[in-house]
Coordinates of all heavy atoms in Angstrom, one line a residue:
E12 N 6.1 9.4 3.2 CA 4.7 9.2 2.7 C 4.6 8.0 1.8 O 3.6 7.3 1.9 CB 4.3 10.5 2.0 CG 3.6 11.5 2.9 CD 2.9 12.6 2.1 OE1 2.1 12.3 1.2 OE2 3.3 13.8 2.3
C13 N 5.6 7.8 1.0 CA 5.5 6.6 0.1 C 5.5 5.3 0.9 O 4.8 4.4 0.6 CB 6.7 6.7 -0.9 SG 6.6 8.0 -2.1
V14 N 6.4 5.3 1.9 CA 6.5 4.1 2.7 C 5.2 3.9 3.5 O 4.6 2.8 3.6 CB 7.7 4.2 3.7 CG1 7.7 3.1 4.7 CG2 9.0 4.1 2.9
N15 N 4.6 5.0 4.0 CA 3.3 4.9 4.8 C 2.2 4.4 3.8 O 1.4 3.6 4.2 CB 3.0 6.2 5.4 CG 3.9 6.4 6.6 OD1 4.4 5.5 7.3 ND2 4.1 7.7 7.0
D16 N 2.2 5.0 2.6 CA 1.2 4.5 1.6 C 1.4 3.1 1.3 O 0.4 2.3 1.0 CB 1.3 5.4 0.3 CG 0.8 6.8 0.5 OD1 0.2 7.1 1.6 OD2 1.1 7.6 -0.4
A17 N 2.6 2.6 1.3 CA 2.9 1.2 1.0 C 2.4 0.3 2.1 O 1.8 -0.8 1.8 CB 4.4 0.9 0.8
Y18 N 2.5 0.8 3.4 CA 1.9 0.0 4.5 C 0.4 -0.1 4.3 O -0.2 -1.2 4.5 CB 2.2 0.7 5.8 CG 3.7 0.7 6.2 CD1 4.2 1.8 6.8 CD2 4.5 -0.4 5.9 CE1 5.6 1.8 7.2 CE2 5.9 -0.4 6.2 CZ 6.4 0.7 6.8 OH 7.7 0.7 7.2
L19 N -0.3 1.0 3.9 CA -1.7 1.0 3.7 C -2.0 0.0 2.5 O -3.0 -0.8 2.7 CB -2.2 2.4 3.3 CG -3.7 2.5 3.0 CD1 -4.6 2.1 4.2 CD2 -4.0 3.9 2.6
H20 N -1.2 0.1 1.5 CA -1.5 -0.9 0.4 C -1.4 -2.3 0.8 O -2.2 -3.1 0.5 CB -0.5 -0.6 -0.8 CG -0.5 -1.6 -1.8 ND1 -1.5 -1.6 -2.8 CD2 0.2 -2.8 -2.1 CE1 -1.3 -2.6 -3.6 NE2 -0.3 -3.4 -3.2
L21 N -0.4 -2.6 1.6 CA -0.2 -4.0 2.2 C -1.4 -4.4 3.0 O -2.0 -5.5 2.9 CB 1.0 -4.1 3.0 CG 2.4 -4.0 2.3 CD1 3.5 -4.1 3.3 CD2 2.5 -5.1 1.3
W22 N -1.9 -3.5 3.8 CA -3.0 -3.7 4.7 C -4.3 -4.0 3.9 O -5.1 -4.9 4.2 CB -3.3 -2.5 5.6 CG -4.3 -2.8 6.7 CD1 -5.6 -2.5 6.6 CD2 -4.1 -3.5 7.9 NE1 -6.2 -2.9 7.8 CE2 -5.3 -3.5 8.6 CE3 -3.0 -4.1 8.5 CZ2 -5.4 -4.1 9.8 CZ3 -3.1 -4.6 9.7 CH2 -4.3 -4.7 10.4
Q23 N -4.4 -3.3 2.8 CA -5.6 -3.5 1.9 C -5.4 -4.8 1.0 O -6.4 -5.4 0.6 CB -5.9 -2.3 1.1 CG -6.3 -1.1 1.9 CD -6.4 0.2 1.1 OE1 -5.7 0.3 0.1 NE2 -7.1 1.1 1.6
A24 N -4.2 -5.1 0.6 CA -4.0 -6.2 -0.3 C -3.8 -7.6 0.3 O -4.1 -8.6 -0.3 CB -2.7 -5.9 -1.2
I25 N -3.4 -7.6 1.6 CA -3.2 -8.9 2.3 C -4.2 -9.0 3.4 O -4.1 -8.2 4.3 CB -1.8 -9.0 2.9 CG1 -0.7 -8.8 1.8 CG2 -1.6 -10.3 3.5 CD1 0.7 -8.7 2.3
P26 N -5.1 -9.9 3.4 CA -5.5 -10.8 2.3 C -6.3 -10.0 1.3 O -6.7 -8.9 1.6 CB -6.4 -11.8 3.0 CG -6.9 -11.2 4.3 CD -5.9 -10.1 4.6
P27 N -6.6 -10.5 0.2 CA -6.6 -11.9 -0.3 C -5.2 -12.3 -0.9 O -4.9 -13.5 -1.0 CB -7.6 -11.9 -1.4 CG -7.6 -10.5 -2.0 CD -7.3 -9.6 -0.8
E28 N -4.3 -11.3 -1.2 CA -3.0 -11.7 -1.8 C -2.1 -12.3 -0.7 O -2.2 -12.0 0.5 CB -2.3 -10.5 -2.4 CG -2.8 -10.1 -3.7 CD -1.9 -9.0 -4.4 OE1 -0.7 -9.3 -4.4 OE2 -2.4 -8.0 -4.8
R29 N -1.3 -13.2 -1.1 CA -0.3 -13.8 -0.2 C 1.0 -13.8 -1.0 O 1.4 -14.8 -1.7 CB -0.7 -15.2 0.2 CG 0.3 -15.8 1.3 CD -0.1 -17.2 1.7 NE -1.4 -17.3 2.5 CZ -1.4 -17.1 3.8 NH1 -0.3 -16.9 4.5 NH2 -2.6 -17.2 4.4
P30 N 1.8 -12.7 -0.9 CA 3.1 -12.6 -1.6 C 4.0 -13.7 -1.4 O 4.2 -14.1 -0.2 CB 3.6 -11.2 -1.2 CG 2.6 -10.6 -0.4 CD 1.6 -11.6 0.0
I31 N 4.7 -14.2 -2.4 CA 5.7 -15.2 -2.3 C 6.9 -14.7 -1.6 O 7.5 -15.3 -0.7 CB 6.0 -15.9 -3.6 CG1 4.7 -16.6 -4.2 CG2 7.1 -16.9 -3.5 CD1 4.8 -17.0 -5.6
C32 N 7.4 -13.5 -2.1 CA 8.6 -12.9 -1.5 C 8.1 -11.5 -0.9 O 8.0 -10.6 -1.7 CB 9.6 -12.7 -2.6 SG 11.2 -12.0 -1.9
F33 N 7.8 -11.5 0.3 CA 7.2 -10.4 1.0 C 8.1 -9.1 0.8 O 7.6 -8.0 0.5 CB 6.9 -10.7 2.4 CG 6.3 -9.5 3.2 CD1 4.9 -9.2 2.9 CD2 7.0 -8.7 4.0 CE1 4.3 -8.1 3.6 CE2 6.4 -7.7 4.7 CZ 5.1 -7.4 4.5
G34 N 9.4 -9.3 1.1 CA 10.3 -8.1 1.0 C 10.3 -7.5 -0.3 O 10.2 -6.2 -0.5
A35 N 10.4 -8.3 -1.4 CA 10.4 -7.8 -2.7 C 9.0 -7.1 -3.1 O 9.0 -6.1 -3.7 CB 10.7 -8.9 -3.7
Y36 N 7.9 -7.7 -2.6 CA 6.6 -7.2 -2.8 C 6.5 -5.8 -2.2 O 6.0 -4.9 -2.8 CB 5.6 -8.2 -2.2 CG 4.1 -7.7 -2.4 CD1 3.5 -8.0 -3.6 CD2 3.4 -7.1 -1.4 CE1 2.2 -7.6 -3.8 CE2 2.1 -6.7 -1.6 CZ 1.5 -7.0 -2.8 OH 0.2 -6.6 -2.9
F37 N 7.0 -5.7 -0.9 CA 6.9 -4.4 -0.2 C 7.7 -3.3 -1.0 O 7.3 -2.2 -1.2 CB 7.4 -4.5 1.2 CG 7.5 -3.2 1.9 CD1 6.4 -2.5 2.3 CD2 8.8 -2.7 2.2 CE1 6.5 -1.3 2.9 CE2 8.9 -1.5 2.9 CZ 7.8 -0.8 3.2
L38 N 9.0 -3.7 -1.3 CA 9.9 -2.7 -2.0 C 9.4 -2.3 -3.4 O 9.5 -1.2 -3.8 CB 11.3 -3.3 -2.0 CG 12.0 -3.4 -0.7 CD1 13.3 -4.1 -0.8 CD2 12.1 -2.0 0.0
R39 N 8.8 -3.3 -4.1 CA 8.2 -3.0 -5.4 C 7.0 -2.0 -5.2 O 6.9 -1.0 -6.0 CB 7.7 -4.2 -6.1 CG 7.2 -3.9 -7.5 CD 6.7 -5.1 -8.2 NE 5.4 -5.5 -7.5 CZ 4.9 -6.7 -7.5 NH1 5.5 -7.7 -8.2 NH2 3.8 -6.9 -6.9
T40 N 6.2 -2.2 -4.2 CA 5.1 -1.3 -3.9 C 5.7 0.1 -3.6 O 5.2 1.1 -4.1 CB 4.3 -1.8 -2.7 OG1 3.8 -3.1 -3.0 CG2 3.1 -0.9 -2.4
V41 N 6.7 0.2 -2.7 CA 7.3 1.5 -2.4 C 7.8 2.2 -3.6 O 7.6 3.4 -3.9 CB 8.4 1.3 -1.3 CG1 9.2 2.6 -1.2 CG2 7.8 0.9 0.0
R42 N 8.5 1.4 -4.4 CA 9.1 1.9 -5.7 C 8.1 2.5 -6.6 O 8.2 3.6 -7.2 CB 9.9 0.8 -6.3 CG 10.7 1.3 -7.6 CD 11.6 0.2 -8.0 NE 12.4 0.6 -9.1 CZ 12.1 0.5 -10.4 NH1 10.9 -0.1 -10.7 NH2 12.9 0.9 -11.4

């Protein structure tokens, strides 16, 4: 569920955000 919620967060945040380090951004969101 946390990982799926992170996917939703990414979908809603990108755009307008453009993460510099995508992997770290995703894992920080999951964490």
Side-chain angles (χ1 to χ4, degrees):
E12 270 191 56
C13 291
V14 170
N15 288 335
D16 288 349
Y18 295 143
L19 177 62
H20 172 80
L21 292 177
W22 189 262
Q23 293 172 338
I25 304 172
E28 284 191 50
R29 188 178 289 271
I31 295 170
C32 184
F33 180 75
Y36 182 81
F37 172 71
L38 292 173
R39 186 184 68 202
T40 302
V41 169
R42 184 173 185 269

